[in-house]
Amino acid sequence: MADEVLTTIEDGVIIITLNRPKAKNAANKALAEGIAAAIDELESNDDLRVGILTGAGGTFCSGMDLKAFVTGETPNIPGRGFAGLTEYTPNKPLIGAVEGYALAGGLELAISCDMLIAADDAKFGIPEVKRGLAAAAGGLVKLPRQIAPRIAMELALTGDFISAQRAAELGLINHVVPSGTALEAAKELAARIAANGPLAVAKSKQVIAEQGDWSSDEMFKKQNDIVMPVFSSADAIEGATAFAEKRAPNWTGK
């Protein structure tokens, strides 16, 4: 894995750190490849339950590396999108821990996470129009599905930034925490998720991720097609047994 992305594993959680602090963690090809490889590790390693995406040096990601862009390099991975993530949805939960700036592609990377923790001095925005570009890595299509479309329109057309507090008001992020503590707060959230049945977590995530495209007539059938195997799983029996025996469950993910 490239030095542009560092990974550590703690108690079933993989922490994926963007590691180009001198460039405000701007995404180049190597960083995109590193994120894609880290997500592959999250997906393939049965011991991993949750991923956390964060940035080194007090910032999350300032977007695309424009110096690399003008030389013809783009931080896109086929089938994965910008920074190896924006067009891909992992099966396991991914939490973004945002300090400093999540701008342009950095915001699009953040909104590709399932949940977001942000420092109280963090800033969010899609300022591509200020550089004659467009927020084509999700800012124009995913952001209006996560906040009110009129607000997304304003952000896309002005390129203005918003604060973490405003992002929380809009429902874009889960929790605002003191500066410097976003990663620790994300670890706490990840631990609460990792303590649960991994099969139940994965299927619950899948339903929530896909249900927006379902009609009212079909939503329960589609939901049940996904979640009913959970109820007949070994983990379901283990969860009920552990509750009765007043002990922690021993999950197998089966």
Side-chain angles (χ1 to χ4, degrees):
M1 191 174 298
D3 291 340
E4 280 82 356
V5 175
L6 305 177
T7 60
T8 57
I9 294 174
E10 301 177 10
D11 300 321
V13 177
I14 184 169
I15 302 164
I16 305 164
T17 303
L18 312 186
N19 189 42
R20 303 189 71 219
K22 292 182 179 180
K24 300 296 184 184
N25 297 324
N28 61 4
K29 188 73 169 182
L31 183 138
E33 291 171 346
I35 292 176
I39 294 298
D40 284 344
E41 174 68 10
L42 171 64
E43 295 282 75
S44 63
N45 188 335
D46 291 339
D47 293 330
L48 296 177
R49 304 290 179 82
V50 184
I52 295 174
L53 184 65
T54 192
T59 199
F60 183 71
C61 177
S62 59
M64 179 170 63
D65 187 328
L66 295 179
K67 292 180 180 179
F69 171 73
V70 298
T71 68
E73 178 182 303
T74 59
N76 295 313
I77 303 295
R80 299 294 183 95
F82 175 83
L85 182 62
T86 60
E87 296 178 25
Y88 181 76
T89 302
N91 293 319
K92 298 176 184 177
L94 183 64
I95 302 169
V98 179
E99 298 277 354
Y101 293 105
L103 302 177
L107 174 64
E108 293 165 317
L109 197 55
I111 64 174
S112 297
C113 297
D114 299 300
M115 291 153 281
L116 287 174
I117 306 292
D120 54 14
D121 57 355
K123 301 293 184 184
F124 298 83
I126 41 175
E128 281 89 341
V129 290
K130 294 181 181 292
R131 299 291 179 265
L133 301 170
L140 304 181
V141 293
K142 293 167 73 172
L143 188 61
R145 299 184 180 199
Q146 298 187 22
I147 64 174
R150 282 188 173 84
I151 302 299
M153 182 77 77
E154 180 180 346
L155 294 176
L157 301 191
T158 65
D160 291 344
F161 300 172
I162 58 173
S163 67
Q165 290 80 6
R166 178 58 173 155
E169 292 170 359
L170 295 171
L172 188 64
I173 60 179
N174 295 73
H175 302 285
V176 179
V177 297
S179 179
T181 69
L183 179 56
E184 287 306 311
K187 288 180 181 180
E188 292 174 5
L189 178 57
R192 302 207 310 270
I193 295 168
N196 298 325
L199 181 62
V201 166
K203 296 303 184 182
S204 295
K205 171 183 169 171
Q206 182 182 351
V207 170
I208 291 175
E210 295 179 6
Q211 57 77 33
D213 295 325
W214 299 345
S215 70
S216 297
D217 291 338
E218 66 183 357
M219 63 183 183
F220 277 104
K221 181 184 184 304
K222 286 184 174 292
Q223 172 198 261
N224 292 342
D225 287 344
I226 293 169
V227 304
M228 288 312 294
V230 173
F231 290 89
S232 59
S233 68
D235 273 357
I237 300 301
E238 169 61 11
T241 303
F243 177 79
E245 296 177 353
K246 298 182 180 179
R247 61 173 173 79
N250 296 309
W251 306 120
T252 62
K254 298 177 181 178

